[in-house]
Amino acid sequence: MSDRSFWNADAGAHRVRYAEIFEAETRAIDGRFRALAAVREDESVLDVGCGTGVSTRDLAPYAGKVVGIDVSAVMLEHARKLSSELPNVRYEQGDAQTHPFPEAAFDLVVSRFGVMFFADPVAAFTNLARALRPGGRLAILVWQDRDHNEWSTAPHEALAPGEELPPPPSAFSFADPGPVTEILTGAGFGEPRFTEVRAPVYFGPDPATAEGFLLGLQGPKEALAASEDRRGALARLRSTLAGHATENGVLFDSRTWIVRAIRA
């Protein structure tokens, strides 16, 4: 959920440490995403920004083969361990913006919160369109505006009450359908379709686990470091997490877009 700097060694280690939470975080959304991606058993699928491979493994039973790509060696190592018994899954390390994919090699390109961080989105999606066969499909899951995502705003309000939110990180760069449409059509895709999904995100089984998870993320970590009253900030965060604890874990509201397009 952080900016591109999330992909440094420390952040990769945090993602592996809390892999179970990261993989369960958007479970309430993942089934809808898989259904709308409509993968078929004879298809080759490319999973962009696959991280520890939860989306790659999720698609494996439904596809002919799935290739996950990510820039993080640490996360890919974990992904390979978890996918060792899936013969139709493999992983590649690289930046999907510039990676030399075979031309027209895939039927479907998917990404679960992995496309918002490209330095040049048009170049990146042009590269991904090149990797798709003619008529191939794109399905991406992205966040809507930060104001519609309680998982981002509530921790900041607890850690830095009354302070203006910093500029939205790249995680929210695909929130506006207008610019996203321009990016995709400029990269060689047809007019995209946007499907709104509102569902809770999961931050752990209990407030104590959710605290450790959150404070390893860039935004909350920076907000706590900047606080002049660390004890008070932590007390407010713990109160917020306790207030979101349910029998199904610590849950916060979210809104996403599932964006689908066809290679023109």
Side-chain angles (χ1 to χ4, degrees):
M1 293 179 180
S2 61
D3 210 335
R4 196 175 184 86
S5 57
F6 180 83
W7 291 326
N8 58 36
D10 289 343
H14 177 74
R15 191 174 180 99
V16 169
R17 179 182 179 187
Y18 287 94
E20 290 185 6
I21 296 177
F22 277 107
E23 297 197 358
E25 183 181 20
T26 57
R27 191 162 288 161
I29 306 168
D30 293 342
R32 184 78 183 279
F33 177 60
R34 184 179 64 245
L36 289 177
V39 62
R40 297 186 289 271
E41 64 181 11
D42 61 340
E43 290 188 320
S44 295
V45 182
L46 175 64
D47 183 11
V48 176
C50 64
T52 56
V54 59
S55 47
T56 318
R57 297 192 306 278
D58 187 47
L59 292 169
Y62 306 93
K65 68 175 182 180
V66 190
V67 177
I69 185 168
D70 202 280
V71 298
S72 171
V74 173
M75 288 190 273
L76 288 176
E77 180 182 3
H78 189 72
R80 291 186 179 102
K81 290 177 181 177
L82 295 177
S83 304
S84 60
E85 297 183 1
L86 297 174
N88 64 336
V89 168
R90 66 181 176 86
Y91 296 96
E92 297 181 9
Q93 184 179 359
D95 186 340
Q97 178 171 310
T98 56
H99 191 74
F101 298 110
E103 187 171 354
F106 297 97
D107 302 290
L108 172 66
V109 170
V110 301
S111 183
R112 175 180 171 270
F113 305 114
V115 300
M116 301 92 74
F117 310 101
F118 291 126
D120 186 339
V122 173
F125 281 99
T126 299
N127 193 41
L128 294 175
R130 177 182 168 278
L132 277 170
R133 64 169 176 77
R137 311 186 311 284
L138 172 77
I140 58 176
L141 181 60
V142 298
W143 300 112
Q144 292 192 27
D145 288 333
R146 179 169 56 184
D147 289 347
H148 291 157
N149 282 282
E150 185 186 37
W151 62 261
S152 178
T153 57
H156 180 86
E157 290 167 359
L159 292 167
E163 292 188 14
E164 184 176 348
L165 282 165
S170 296
F172 299 100
S173 63
F174 272 51
D176 187 340
V180 174
T181 297
E182 292 181 7
I183 289 168
L184 294 180
T185 56
F189 290 93
E191 191 80 9
R193 290 176 290 172
F194 293 78
T195 301
E196 181 179 54
V197 179
R198 182 174 182 176
V201 296
Y202 171 82
F203 275 6
D206 54 69
T209 305
E211 179 184 335
F213 170 73
L214 266 173
L215 293 179
L217 300 177
Q218 181 182 350
K221 183 191 300 183
E222 291 179 351
L224 180 61
S227 176
E228 296 180 357
D229 179 15
R230 179 183 174 89
R231 181 176 297 179
L234 282 174
R236 290 189 299 271
L237 178 63
R238 288 165 182 165
S239 177
T240 295
L241 295 173
H244 285 77
T246 74
E247 62 181 10
N248 295 315
V250 179
L251 305 177
F252 286 85
D253 193 25
S254 79
R255 292 189 191 181
T256 59
W257 294 119
I258 297 174
V259 187
R260 291 170 290 160
I262 305 294
R263 179 187 166 184

